[in-house]
C-alpha cells in the first residue's frame, strides 16, 4: 500500500490500536491545516514588507514642497539721521555739586534779637551729631564718592626750601653703596657673635632679610623674606636691630636711604 505523507491518513495508521485521546494525535491530525495557515500568513506579511515603500510613495503629501523652501532675505543697510547735538549754552551756571556722603546741616549764626524777630533758629547739638556744618542743609548720600577739593597754591614766598630726598634707592646703580664699618667680613663676624642658633639637630639653611640703611647709617624696616623656621627669622631681626650704624649710601654727593638685601647662613652645632 502506497502511503501519502502529505495527507492525514498516515496518522490513523500510526495511531491504530493506540490511545487517540492523547494530545499527540490531535496535533498530528491538525498539522496540515496549521502549516497551510502559517504559509499563507507568512506570504501576506512578506508581501506587505516588500510593497511598503511603494505604498508610502503613493500617499499624497500634506505639505507642499514650495512651503518648505527657504527663501532668501536680503538685508539692506538703513542710514539713520544723525542725532541732534545741542550746542553748549553760553554763560550757563555750573551743575550743582553731588551730595556729600554725610548729612550737612545749615549753620545759622547766632545773633541777639527779640523773640518775634527770630527768622531761623540755630540747629541743636543733637542735630549736629555725626553731621557736617555748611551754609545750607543737604541730605547726604551714603553711596557718594568721596571728593577732595584741589589744594591751593598758598602764599608765594621768595625763599627756596630745599626738599628732603626720602626716596629709597636700590643698591644697583647707586653711586656709593652703604657698607658696614670695616667691611662685610666684620659684619658677618658681628652676626656670628650675636646670633643665637636654635638648639635643633641638623638645622641648616639661609635666612634672607632686607632692611633700609638710613641717611644716618641706622637700619630700619627690617623684614624676613624667607627663613628655615624655629625662630631663625625673629632672631635675625633682633641681631640687626643691635647692629652698629653703617656708612650710608651716597647719591649726587648726598646721603640717601638705600634698600639692602642680605642672606644669613644658619647651621646648628652637631
Amino acid at each position: 500500500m502506497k502511503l501519502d505523507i502529505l495527507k492525514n491518513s498516515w496518522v490513523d495508521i500510526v495511531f491504530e490500536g493506540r490511545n487517540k485521546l492523547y494530545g499527540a494525535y490531535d496535533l498530528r491530525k491538525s498539522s496540515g491545516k496549521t502549516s497551510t495557515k502559517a504559509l499563507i500568513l507568512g506570504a501576506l506579511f512578506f508581501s506587505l514588507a516588500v510593497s511598503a515603500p511603494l505604498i508610502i510613495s503613493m500617499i499624497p503629501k500634506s505639505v507642499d514642497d514650495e512651503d518648505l523652501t527657504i527663501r532668501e532675505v536680503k538685508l539692506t543697510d538703513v542710514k539713520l539721521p544723525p542725532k541732534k547735538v545741542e550746542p553748549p549754552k553760553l554763560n550757563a551756571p555750573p551743575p550743582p555739586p553731588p551730595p556729600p556722603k554725610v548729612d550737612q546741616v545749615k549753620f545759622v549764626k547766632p545773633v541777639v534779637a527779640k523773640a518775634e524777630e527770630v527768622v531761623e533758629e540755630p540747629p541743636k547739638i543733637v542735630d549736629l551729631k555725626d553731621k557736617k556744618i555748611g551754609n545750607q542743609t543737604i541730605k547726604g548720600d551714603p553711596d557718594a564718592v568721596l571728593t577732595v577739593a584741589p589744594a591751593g597754591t598758598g602764599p608765594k614766598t621768595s625763599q627756596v626750601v630745599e626738599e628732603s630726598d626720602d626716596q629709597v634707592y636700590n643698591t644697583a646703580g647707586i653711586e656709593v653703596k652703604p657698607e658696614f664699618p670695616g667691611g662685610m667680613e666684620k659684619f658677618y663676624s658681628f652676626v656670628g657673635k650675636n646670633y643665637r642658633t636654635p638648639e635643633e639637630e641638623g638645622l641648616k639653611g639661609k635666612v634672607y632679610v632686607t632692611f633700609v640703611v638710613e641717611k644716618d647709617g641706622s637700619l630700619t624696616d627690617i623684614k624676613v623674606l624667607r627663613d628655615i623656621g624655629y625662630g631663625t627669622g625673629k632672631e635675625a631681626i633682633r641681631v640687626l636691630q643691635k647692629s652698629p650704624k653703617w656708612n650710608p649710601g651716597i647719591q649726587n654727593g648726598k646721603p640717601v636711604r638705600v634698600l639692602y638685601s642680605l642672606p644669613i647662613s644658619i647651621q646648628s652645632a652637631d
Side-chain angles (χ1 to χ4, degrees), residues 21 26 28 35 38 43 73 80 95 101 128 160 187 197 200 211 229 241:
L21 298 177
D26 293 333
R28 300 295 188 279
S35 300
V73 179
L80 297 176
K101 292 181 71 68
L128 297 177
V160 178
F187 174 76
T197 306
E200 189 70 25
F211 49 88
Q241 288 175 345

Side-chain angles (χ1 to χ4, degrees), residues 9-249:
S9 58
W10 64 272
V11 178
D12 295 329
I13 297 173
V14 172
F15 282 90
E16 186 177 357
R18 297 185 181 182
N19 185 9
K20 294 183 178 181
L21 298 177
Y22 188 63
Y25 176 76
D26 293 333
L27 289 174
R28 300 295 188 279
K29 196 75 173 175
S30 62
S31 62
K33 294 180 180 180
T34 305
S35 300
T36 303
K37 290 180 180 179
L39 182 61
I40 293 171
L41 290 173
L44 287 173
F45 281 116
F46 179 77
S47 300
L48 283 173
V50 171
S51 60
L54 180 61
I55 295 172
I56 293 172
S57 64
M58 295 174 66
I59 298 174
K61 297 181 180 180
S62 60
V63 181
D64 296 337
D65 292 339
E66 294 180 359
D67 295 338
L68 296 178
T69 56
I70 300 174
R71 299 180 180 179
E72 268 188 54
V73 179
K74 294 184 179 180
L75 300 177
T76 57
D77 295 336
V78 178
K79 292 185 178 181
L80 297 176
K83 294 183 179 180
K84 294 182 179 180
V85 180
E86 295 184 0
K89 296 180 180 179
L90 299 176
N91 300 325
K101 292 181 71 68
V102 183
D103 294 347
Q104 180 174 298
V105 178
K106 180 179 179 181
F107 176 73
V108 179
K109 187 176 180 180
V111 294
V112 179
K114 296 180 181 180
E116 59 272 12
E117 296 177 357
V118 175
V119 179
E120 191 174 5
E121 294 184 357
K124 299 179 182 179
I125 300 298
V126 179
D127 299 334
L128 297 177
K129 185 178 181 182
D130 299 330
K131 295 180 178 64
K132 294 173 63 178
I133 298 175
N135 57 358
Q136 59 180 339
T137 301
I138 302 174
K139 182 66 177 177
D141 182 7
D143 299 327
V145 180
L146 287 175
T147 57
V148 180
T153 56
K156 297 181 179 180
T157 58
S158 58
Q159 296 179 355
V160 178
V161 180
E162 184 177 358
E163 295 181 359
S164 60
D165 187 4
D166 289 334
Q167 178 184 349
V168 178
Y169 290 82
N170 201 303
T171 53
I174 197 170
E175 293 177 0
V176 180
K177 297 180 181 180
E179 188 180 24
F180 187 83
M184 293 307 295
E185 291 184 3
K186 291 283 187 180
F187 174 76
Y188 281 113
S189 176
F190 163 80
V191 173
K193 291 179 181 179
N194 292 273
Y195 194 95
R196 300 171 187 169
T197 306
E199 297 179 0
E200 189 70 25
E201 293 184 8
L203 185 64
K204 185 178 180 181
K206 290 184 178 181
V207 177
Y208 292 88
V209 295
T210 62
F211 49 88
V212 175
V213 181
E214 297 290 342
K215 299 176 183 179
D216 61 350
S218 60
L219 306 185
T220 61
D221 198 19
I222 304 171
K223 295 179 181 178
V224 177
L225 300 182
R226 189 178 69 186
D227 62 6
I228 55 178
Y230 305 100
T232 52
K234 291 183 178 179
E235 181 62 13
I237 293 176
R238 187 192 68 82
V239 173
L240 291 176
Q241 288 175 345
K242 294 178 58 178
S243 170
K245 290 188 176 182
W246 288 42
N247 298 324

